[in-house]
């Protein structure tokens, strides 16, 4: 006997689109858990920079004790950075070097990466983990200012120019260390099909969990000449953003932002979006 979904709870059978890559399976399970029909198409792939001389040159400075503070922005980037260093240095030497600099973690993922090395951050940045939150945290940590401090930022695909500028304005000596870059998936057909389904009006809710996803969706739509049509389709579709950075990117591309969760976590995004979807869609219809 088939059981009809409860139309008063969760997504209640709505088709929910998302653009996760590494966590695509987890996202699909979350959507299904809250009553949605998942349509998850990877929008990016992380490509480590081969022969990363920039990261290796930075490691030499770190070993020499000439880095006062290292800002770790992502867990994947932290692990990849250490993997690059391990091609030239022992893991113990890397651990010792990291203990001699102040480590700043933006959120739980780089904290987890450090824990794997047996290390803890000296400074943690609170939610929603934006570049402004990093600056405010450092201002509170060092009220006398950052003048002359030698700071490094572990970048994550694209340069965080706002953060670098804010640190430079505080008279810190800033360098960026690029670990990996983002590209569209090798096979973009699943993403194209998902975007077509959205434009055909078959998707009720879109879930964005990173600014890079937004940029890659736009990039693909520009190549197919469908960006304007996609914007039109969002007029009747709920667009949920995981947090301020992603929301800023959505608005930059003239996409609506209908919902942000109380915490910038994927599970919270899906749960709370499922609770708000019916009301938001009714308002937009």
């Amino acid at each position: 006997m088939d059981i009809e979904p409860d139309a008063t709870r969760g997504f209640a059978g709505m088709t929910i689109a998302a653009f996760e890559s590494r966590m695509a399976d987890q996202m699909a399970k979350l959507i299904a858990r809250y009553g949605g029909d998942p349509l998850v198409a990877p929008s990016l792939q992380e490509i480590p920079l081969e022969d990363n001389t920039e990261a290796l040159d930075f490691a030499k400075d770190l070993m020499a004790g000439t880095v006062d503070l290292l800002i770790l922005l992502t867990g994947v980037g932290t692990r990849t950075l250490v993997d690059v260093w391990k091609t030239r240095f022992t893991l113990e030497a890397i651990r010792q070097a990291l203990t001699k600099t102040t480590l700043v973690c933006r959120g739980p993922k780089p904290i987890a990466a450090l824990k794997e090395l047996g290390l803890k951050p000296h400074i943690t940045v609170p939610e929603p983990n934006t570049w402004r939150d990093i600056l405010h945290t450092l201002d509170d940590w060092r009220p006398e200012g950052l003048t002359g401090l030698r700071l490094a930022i572990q970048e994550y695909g694209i340069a965080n120019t706002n953060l670098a500028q804010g640190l430079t304005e505080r008279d810190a000596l800033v360098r960026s260390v690029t670990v990996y870059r983002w590209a569209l998936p090798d096979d973009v057909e699943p993403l194209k099909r998902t975007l077509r389904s959205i434009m055909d009006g078959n998707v009720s809710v879109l879930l964005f969990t990173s600014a890079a996803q937004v940029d890659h969706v736009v990039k693909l739509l520009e190549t197919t000449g469908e960006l304007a049509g996609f914007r039109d389709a969002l007029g009747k579709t709920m667009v949920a953003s995981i947090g301020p950075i992603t929301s800023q990117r959505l608005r930059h591309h003239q996409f609506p932002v209908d919902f942000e969760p109380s915490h910038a976590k994927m599970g919270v995004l899906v749960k709370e979006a499922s609770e708000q979807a019916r009301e938001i869609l009714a308002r937009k219809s």
Side-chain angles (χ1 to χ4, degrees):
M1 175 179 174
D2 293 333
I3 299 175
E4 292 293 325
D6 184 346
T8 66
R9 298 182 62 186
F11 289 125
M14 300 175 189
T15 298
I16 314 300
F19 305 100
E20 280 296 324
S21 299
R22 282 186 298 110
M23 303 185 75
D25 289 344
Q26 183 177 347
M27 174 61 88
K29 289 176 182 176
L30 281 168
I31 291 170
R33 179 187 301 171
Y34 292 103
D37 181 14
L39 184 59
V40 182
S43 59
L44 58 87
Q45 58 177 319
E46 296 161 350
I47 303 179
L49 298 177
E50 297 184 11
D51 192 20
N52 194 333
T53 56
E54 182 181 338
L56 291 170
D57 287 343
F58 171 69
K60 294 175 184 176
D61 292 339
L62 189 69
M63 299 290 173
T66 58
V67 179
D68 297 314
L69 186 145
L70 172 59
I71 301 173
L72 300 169
L73 296 178
T74 66
V76 171
T78 301
R79 293 184 183 94
T80 304
L81 194 59
V82 172
D83 286 342
V84 173
W85 293 345
K86 281 161 50 176
T87 65
R88 300 288 178 85
F89 305 97
T90 67
L91 186 56
E92 184 56 32
I94 294 168
R95 284 197 193 99
Q96 288 299 318
L98 289 171
T99 62
K100 295 176 183 177
T101 188
T102 299
L103 300 174
V104 180
C105 283
R106 187 198 70 156
K109 292 181 180 179
I111 293 175
L114 284 182
K115 186 177 180 180
E116 293 167 7
L117 298 172
L119 300 174
K120 295 180 180 180
H122 301 87
I123 302 169
T124 58
V125 179
E127 291 185 359
N129 315 129
T130 68
W131 61 270
R132 291 186 179 88
D133 295 315
I134 297 174
L135 293 175
H136 292 156
T137 300
L138 291 177
D139 289 341
D140 292 341
W141 168 70
R142 194 179 173 92
E144 67 270 29
L146 305 177
T147 300
L149 285 184
R150 298 161 295 186
L151 310 186
I153 306 169
Q154 169 256 307
E155 297 286 8
Y156 56 103
I158 55 175
N160 195 318
T161 54
N162 289 320
L163 175 58
Q165 181 179 343
L167 294 169
T168 300
E169 289 172 352
R170 287 160 172 77
D171 295 322
L173 304 174
V174 183
R175 70 188 292 180
S176 296
V177 184
T178 303
V179 180
Y180 54 83
R181 63 183 175 87
W182 284 316
L184 281 165
D186 291 331
D187 180 9
V188 297
E189 289 307 312
L191 181 56
K192 283 184 177 180
R193 288 194 296 269
T194 297
L195 296 177
R196 169 49 53 193
S197 188
I198 293 165
M199 287 183 281
D200 288 344
N202 298 324
V203 173
S204 298
V205 180
L206 273 64
L207 304 173
F208 285 95
T209 58
S210 76
Q213 291 174 6
V214 182
D215 288 337
H216 281 219
V217 165
V218 170
K219 182 177 181 179
L220 189 56
L221 289 168
E222 287 177 338
T223 64
T224 60
E226 296 175 309
L227 183 56
F230 185 79
R231 284 198 185 102
D232 289 342
L234 297 188
K236 294 184 178 180
T237 308
M238 173 179 167
V239 180
S241 162
I242 199 165
I245 295 174
T246 303
S247 296
Q248 182 181 44
R249 206 70 194 143
L250 285 163
R251 294 186 179 106
H252 172 80
H253 290 297
Q254 301 172 44
F255 293 167
V257 178
D258 300 309
F259 176 76
E260 280 187 19
S262 58
H263 298 282
K265 299 180 187 292
M266 193 167 77
V268 179
L269 170 69
V270 179
K271 177 181 182 296
E272 294 185 359
S274 76
E275 295 167 348
Q276 298 295 321
R278 287 168 59 83
E279 179 181 343
I280 291 172
L281 288 169
R283 190 166 64 241
K284 296 189 74 170
S285 65

